[in-house]
Structure formats: structure tokens, C-alpha cells
Amino acid sequence: KGKTEAKEAVINDPLPEGTSYISSSAEGKDPEITFSIDGKLFQSPPLLKYKIRQPDGKEAEYVATPDMYKQIRWKLSKPVMPGESGTLSFKVRVK
């Protein structure tokens, strides 16, 4: 709602509890779509990583899988004018 355009709009959407994200299902018109596994750091899928300490004490880095995603973020590249609407969507699998 508002009387001025929404510039650089960002929409964060947590995935519902008890679900997992279905790969490549996030959609929208011209947004940058990123994901988070911790609700803090958002990255595109190939860059979204996590670390695990190995038995030898060293940390190993792995690429996060879609079932690990906790939130989706859409950054809209174009302003949304007053009265305009649009749709952003994603699909999940119920666990």
C-alpha cells in the first residue's frame, strides 16, 4: 500500500514448517532470487554453502541442497508503481 513507487523492493518469505523447497520452483517477474539456510545470509544456489568440522578438526565446505533452504528472498529489479500488483511463488513438498 502507498502513494509512491516501491523502489528496490525486497520480499523475504520463510518456508512453512514441515516442508522442503522444490528445486527451481521459485518464480517472479524479473527478480533476483536468493535463498538462506540460516535466515541471515542469502545467496544464489551454487554459492549457498555451509561448513562442517571434520573428525580431524578441519572444516569442510559443502553446497547447500534445496531441502536445507529456510527462506527465499526476491529483490525486485523494477519499481512497483502504486496500484500495481504481481505474483511471486514457490513450491514445497510436505515432509
Side-chain angles (χ1 to χ4, degrees):
K1 293 183 178 183
K3 295 181 181 180
T4 60
E5 64 186 21
K7 294 181 182 177
E8 300 177 10
V10 176
I11 296 95
N12 290 335
D13 200 354
L15 274 73
E17 192 73 30
T19 66
S20 61
Y21 174 73
I22 296 176
S23 183
S24 301
S25 69
E27 296 180 346
K29 187 176 180 182
D30 300 322
E32 174 189 347
I33 302 173
T34 54
F35 301 87
S36 178
I37 59 174
D38 63 5
K40 298 174 188 171
L41 176 67
F42 286 81
Q43 295 283 345
S44 61
L47 301 176
L48 188 56
K49 299 179 180 181
Y50 65 99
K51 294 179 181 179
I52 294 180
R53 186 164 308 278
Q54 303 297 309
D56 64 3
K58 295 180 182 178
E59 285 189 337
E61 189 173 73
Y62 301 94
V63 174
T65 58
D67 61 313
M68 300 170 77
Y69 299 169
K70 300 293 183 205
Q71 289 193 33
I72 301 173
R73 174 179 284 171
W74 290 268
K75 285 186 181 180
L76 305 183
S77 58
K78 297 178 183 176
V80 179
M81 303 308 288
E84 281 187 333
S85 64
T87 301
L88 304 171
S89 66
F90 63 94
K91 295 178 183 176
V92 297
R93 180 172 291 110
V94 177
K95 295 181 181 179

